[in-house]
Amino acid sequence: MAIATMGVTVLDCPNPRELAAFYAAVLDWRIDSGYDEGDGDWVELIGPHGRQLAFQRSPGYQPPRWPGTEMPQQFHLDLNVPRDQLDAAEREVLRLGATLLEGDNGGKRDWRVYADPAGHPFCFCAC
């Protein structure tokens, strides 16, 4: 029997509303108005099948430095994108404020690595 069940995944960041808006646009999820009130220290996104992603203000937040180890990533998000849509998806996330950290080596690999506007690494994985 499980001791617990998985709840919401939370990303620390300097500006929860901005980062929630970025991921809402990338994933086409909606911002939960019940968790976007007051000072904006906590914002949640709601996705299909009850999936949730939240953003929490962290004073003094320092982004990881990928792929270095002096400020290593502690986790990253893998987002699936149809292989024939990778280039279009990349253009759109760059327009939304992402930064390309590592390409797919001319199509030799099945993933590309980006940083979101707060510096969290995430990957587009070809599916």
Side-chain angles (χ1 to χ4, degrees):
M1 182 169 145
I3 295 170
T5 59
M6 182 70 178
V8 64
T9 299
V10 183
L11 299 177
D12 287 353
C13 59
N15 189 322
R17 285 190 180 121
E18 282 183 11
L19 199 56
F22 172 81
Y23 280 104
V26 170
L27 298 169
D28 195 25
W29 289 13
R30 69 177 174 81
I31 293 176
D32 185 345
S33 60
Y35 287 99
D36 185 24
E37 299 174 351
D39 56 12
D41 284 343
W42 180 276
V43 180
E44 284 187 14
L45 294 183
I46 304 299
H49 312 292
R51 293 182 183 139
Q52 295 174 282
L53 185 59
F55 308 90
Q56 171 178 272
R57 186 178 316 279
S58 176
Y61 169 79
Q62 294 293 314
R65 298 215 173 91
W66 189 89
T69 57
E70 58 281 349
M71 291 187 75
Q73 68 174 345
Q74 295 180 14
F75 75 96
H76 70 274
L77 300 173
D78 282 347
L79 307 176
N80 294 332
V81 176
R83 184 177 304 280
D84 64 351
Q85 295 177 24
L86 279 171
D87 291 338
E90 179 173 293
R91 284 190 298 274
E92 185 63 12
V93 296
L94 295 176
R95 184 189 70 75
L96 291 168
T99 303
L100 178 67
L101 298 178
E102 186 174 288
D104 60 8
N105 199 16
K108 294 178 183 172
R109 291 192 318 215
D110 291 333
W111 70 91
R112 300 175 185 179
V113 183
Y114 305 86
D116 68 25
H120 302 103
F122 69 95
C123 297
F124 277 167
C125 301
C127 61

